């Protein structure tokens, strides 16, 4: 009944409810799809959000189509929802320790990441060209979302824009790029990631070090040792030490 309302606020709440509780029910797919053409960009955004919970090729294609929506907020929502169909970082014990995950959750988190990737959708690659095209003209949050999303897509075309993003003026973009290249274990990023160990942002330094730990290139060992010994933040220094030890094994 709520989906038959003419009140945008009612529709927004109904679409939110579908996204949270009923994405597994196929009978809601067509009604949600219809709201992609609604005059309210907030309603369209929540329709995109709800489509992410269905996790089918059809819902993915509709989300990709929404990357061309006239509204920035709809495009942003489409960008971040595409990650639900791509690949995530495969967890390892040292990574979970680095992020202070309780040891009793290690096996569950590792298994969950592997299962997620086994159910990823190769069709996400269809979004790559549009994501790259959008990057320069988008708002900060959408640009960061684009870099996060490119990191979830297994396509060689994503590598060059991610490497370029390591040099972005915005620390949030650089951090997202470091994380994404770590997720991909991209060996061509090693030199650039080593340079980021001297970044002014502690978040960028941490994520660059973490990415180097995943790639595990011995070239990074000495620079990581220097970063560990000069890092002013005690927590980040401990993280650098753990990463250094991981690569040195």
């Amino acid at each position: 009944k709520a989906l038959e309302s003419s009140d945008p606020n009612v529709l927004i709440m109904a679409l939110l409810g579908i996204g949270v509780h009923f994405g597994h029910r196929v009978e809601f797919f067509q009604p949600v799809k219809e709201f992609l053409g609604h005059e309210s960009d907030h309603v369209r955004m929540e329709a995109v959000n709800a489509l992410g919970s269905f996790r089918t090729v059809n819902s993915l294609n509709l989300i990709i189509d929404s990357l061309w929506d006239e509204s920035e907020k709809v495009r942003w929502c489409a960008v971040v929802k595409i990650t639900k169909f791509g690949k995530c970082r495969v967890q390892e014990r040292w990574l979970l320790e680095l992020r202070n995950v309780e040891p009793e959750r290690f096996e569950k988190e590792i298994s969950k990441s592997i299962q997620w990737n086994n159910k990823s959708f190769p069709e996400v690659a269809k979004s790559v060209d549009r994501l790259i095209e959008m990057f320069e003209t988008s708002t900060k949050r959408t640009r960061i979302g684009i870099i996060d999303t490119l990191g979830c897509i297994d396509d060689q075309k994503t590598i060059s824009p991610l490497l370029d993003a390591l040099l972005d003026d915005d620390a949030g973009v650089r951090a997202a790029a470091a994380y994404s290249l770590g997720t991909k274990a991209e060996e061509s990023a090693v030199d650039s990631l080593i340079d980021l160990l001297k970044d002014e942002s502690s978040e960028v330094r941490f994520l660059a070090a973490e990415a180097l730990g995943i790639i595990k290139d011995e070239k990074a060992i000495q620079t990581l040792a220097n970063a560990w010994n000069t890092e002013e933040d005690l927590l980040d220094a401990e993280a650098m030490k753990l990463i250094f030890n991981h690569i040195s094994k």
Side-chain angles (χ1 to χ4, degrees):
K1 290 290 184 180
L3 292 177
E4 298 174 3
S5 174
S6 59
D7 184 343
N9 291 322
V10 174
L11 295 174
I12 288 165
M13 293 306 297
L15 290 166
L16 274 169
I18 291 172
V20 173
H21 300 293
F22 300 110
H24 62 288
R25 293 179 52 177
V26 294
E27 67 266 29
F28 284 109
F29 176 78
Q30 190 61 35
V32 169
K33 174 183 173 181
E34 297 302 320
F35 288 105
L36 292 175
H38 198 276
E39 62 182 1
S40 165
D41 60 353
H42 202 158
V43 171
R44 297 200 303 278
M45 182 180 76
E46 292 304 336
V48 171
N49 183 49
L51 284 169
S53 65
F54 288 96
R55 220 164 175 264
T56 64
V57 172
N58 286 338
S59 63
L60 171 60
N61 286 336
L62 290 171
I63 292 170
I64 292 175
D65 288 344
S66 294
L67 294 173
W68 280 268
D69 194 277
E70 64 184 18
S71 166
E72 170 78 21
K73 68 173 67 172
V74 177
R75 296 195 299 273
W76 166 78
C77 188
V79 167
V80 299
K81 285 300 160 182
I82 289 171
T83 62
K84 291 178 70 70
F85 299 83
K87 292 189 173 183
C88 67
R89 174 173 290 183
V90 176
Q91 298 298 335
E92 300 179 51
R93 295 182 69 85
W94 75 273
L95 276 171
L96 296 168
E97 181 181 347
L98 183 65
R99 291 182 173 269
N100 297 313
V101 175
E102 297 84 354
E104 57 269 21
R105 288 177 49 199
F106 282 7
E107 295 306 322
K108 180 179 180 182
E109 294 298 322
I110 292 168
S111 176
K112 186 166 65 173
S113 67
I114 294 171
Q115 289 175 14
W116 181 273
N117 286 346
N118 287 338
K119 296 178 181 178
S120 65
F121 291 67
E123 292 85 358
V124 291
K126 293 189 293 185
S127 68
V128 170
D129 289 340
R130 175 56 178 162
L131 291 169
I132 295 171
E133 179 186 37
M134 289 171 58
F135 181 74
E136 291 299 336
T137 58
S138 294
T139 62
K140 175 181 175 178
R141 72 169 183 172
T142 301
R143 292 172 77 236
I144 292 173
I146 287 169
I147 297 303
D148 285 337
T149 302
L150 290 176
C152 298
I153 300 174
D154 189 12
D155 189 295
Q156 192 61 32
K157 286 190 293 185
T158 64
I159 304 302
S160 180
L162 289 175
L163 290 172
D164 290 344
L166 292 176
L167 303 174
D168 197 87
D169 291 338
D170 186 88
V173 173
R174 297 196 302 276
Y179 185 89
S180 288
L181 288 162
T183 296
K184 290 176 175 287
E186 179 53 45
E187 294 181 1
S188 67
V190 168
D191 289 338
S192 297
L193 290 167
I194 288 174
D195 289 341
L196 286 187
L197 294 176
K198 300 176 183 177
D199 196 273
E200 60 187 20
S201 164
S202 62
E203 180 187 18
V204 173
R205 294 195 300 272
F206 172 83
L207 290 173
E210 183 182 62
L212 288 167
I214 294 170
I215 298 168
K216 211 172 181 180
D217 190 315
E218 292 184 357
K219 187 191 303 185
I221 290 177
Q222 187 56 54
T223 312
L224 268 170
N226 295 338
W228 159 28
N229 289 313
T230 59
E231 179 59 58
E232 295 179 359
D233 186 295
L234 292 178
L235 290 176
D236 284 347
E238 282 300 309
M240 297 284 185
K241 180 180 177 181
L242 191 155
I243 296 165
F244 171 83
N245 290 336
H246 173 70
I247 295 180
S248 301
K249 287 179 181 177

